[in-house]
Each structure stands twice: as structure tokens, then as C-alpha cells.
Amino acid sequence: MAGQIPDLVCQERTGSGKGAARAARRAGMVPGVVFGGDADPVSIQIPFNELLKKLKAGRFKSTLWNLKVEGQEDVRVICRDVQRDVVKDLPTHFDLMRLRRTSKVNLFVPVEFINEEEAPGIKRGGVLTAVRPEVELVVTAGDIPEKLVVDLAGLNIGDTVTISAIKLPEGAKPTIDRDFVVANISAPSGLKSADNEASDDEAEAAAEE
């Protein structure tokens, strides 16, 4: 569960439009904008290396941030988008949205699998397939989970894990209104082939009789 809200320190950016954004990038900054709430949009920027470090740390878009801009009151924000260079895959612009702590927001939350060593199906050579490595939830901004945890202990080949088996934060719910599959343990390809051959043999024997 979300604990202390981390700071996201940015600077106010003078000017707007493509020219101002290019000037920010030349200065080693990534331009951005913060919008929403009951205030006008504000152009901001953050040092490129600082943003890249936060992106590499993960969960940047599923974290509630305390935005700090000199001369302005702190405000809670969520990242709505990070635009990247299509060739270098490096951030070129970011969008933040102001939130109240009680605001509801749709977020993709990563899924983490634990206790693989305690899953009989995996011990037998079964293959864990993450059907949904991320799950979109409607959550309260003040209670955004870092991840959803799936316990694989006791699962056998052929078993599936649905969203109803995962403990969600209080007040959170999936955006999909059905008990969808998050992961499953399937038979290894060798075992599948053996099963298919056995089925073929049985079919041939039945045909001969």
C-alpha cells in the first residue's frame, strides 16, 4: 500500500509551445505540464537525468506524487503520460494531473508472483504464464498500491489465478466487471506432446476395435 507520498521536484517553465519546449530540452530539462483540479495548467520542467532515474525505478505512472514547484503550494499529482523519442525511447515530455487524496483514478498496477518454488505444477516443469502482468484498477489516489501480489503456493498444472483470488486495496476494483484470468500454469511442451501422442494411440486402438 502507498505510504509516505514521495516528492517530485520540478521548476516552473517560462513560455509555452514547441519553441519553449525545445529550449528546455537544450538546457537538459524535460518539459511538462500540470493540469486539472480547480487551477489553470502550469508549464513545468524537470532535469532529464532526474526524470530518467525515476522512470527506471519503475511505477512512475502508478505513484501518487507530491509536486513541489518553487513559489507554489505543493499539490498531489499523478502522471498521465510520458512521451518518448520514437528512436531513442527517451522521455521528451510529461503530463501530470492534480488530484485530491480522495480522488478516484484509473491506473495499471503491476502484478508480482511469489512462492514459485512452492508450486507443485512449476516443480513438475509447468510454465507460468502471466496473462495480465498489469491490472487496471479504479483506486483512491491516497491508497494506490505499488503492486498486486499473486501467491503461487500449492498451484498445479492447469490451475488458473483469477482477479477474485487477489487481495485488492480497500475501495479498489478492477475496471473489467468479470472474474478474469491473471495467470495460469500450463503443461510443458514435452508433456503436451506426450499427452497428444497418448490420445492418438487411444484413438487408433478404438478405431481398430
Side-chain angles (χ1 to χ4, degrees):
M1 297 297 296
Q4 183 177 357
I5 301 173
D7 289 337
L8 184 64
V9 181
C10 296
Q11 305 167 11
E12 188 167 1
R13 177 165 51 96
T14 56
S16 59
K18 293 182 178 179
R22 281 196 295 266
R25 294 186 191 104
R26 283 196 300 268
M29 311 293 284
V30 179
V33 64
V34 56
F35 60 90
D38 301 319
D40 293 333
V42 175
S43 296
I44 56 176
Q45 60 186 19
I46 188 172
F48 174 85
N49 290 337
E50 185 64 26
L51 178 59
L52 191 62
K53 182 170 68 174
K54 291 185 182 300
L55 290 172
K56 287 182 176 180
R59 300 190 293 273
F60 186 77
K61 293 176 72 173
S62 61
T63 298
L64 180 66
W65 298 97
N66 180 50
L67 177 65
K68 300 180 78 72
V69 178
E70 187 176 355
Q72 300 184 17
E73 290 187 7
D74 292 2
V75 62
R76 293 185 177 95
V77 298
I78 196 86
C79 179
R80 299 308 286 164
D81 189 34
V82 177
Q83 291 140 41
R84 295 174 180 267
D85 183 279
V86 293
V87 177
K88 299 178 181 178
D89 195 35
L90 296 175
T92 58
H93 192 277
F94 65 105
D95 298 324
L96 304 177
M97 185 172 71
R98 301 182 186 97
L99 291 176
R100 296 182 180 88
R101 190 173 178 84
T102 56
S103 298
K104 292 286 188 178
V105 62
N106 289 24
L107 286 175
F108 282 94
V109 179
V111 177
E112 179 180 292
F113 299 94
I114 62 172
N115 294 329
E116 288 190 35
E117 68 281 0
E118 296 180 27
I122 293 178
K123 286 182 179 179
R124 291 181 55 208
V127 178
L128 172 65
T129 301
V131 179
R132 293 181 185 271
E134 294 183 318
V135 174
E136 188 177 19
L137 300 178
V138 180
V139 295
T140 303
D143 295 308
I144 297 171
E146 293 184 353
K147 59 193 174 186
L148 300 180
V149 178
V150 174
D151 190 346
L152 301 173
L155 295 186
N156 288 292
I157 290 174
D159 285 348
T160 60
V161 178
T162 60
I163 188 63
S164 63
I166 302 175
K167 185 176 181 180
L168 301 179
E170 187 175 351
K173 65 178 183 178
T175 56
I176 299 174
D177 190 23
R178 58 182 171 81
D179 193 19
F180 54 87
V181 173
V182 176
N184 60 58
I185 298 180
S186 57
S189 55
L191 184 58
K192 287 180 182 177
S193 299
D195 288 345
N196 290 338
E197 288 174 6
S199 298
D200 292 343
D201 292 342
E202 290 171 2
E204 288 176 7
E208 290 174 357
E209 292 176 358

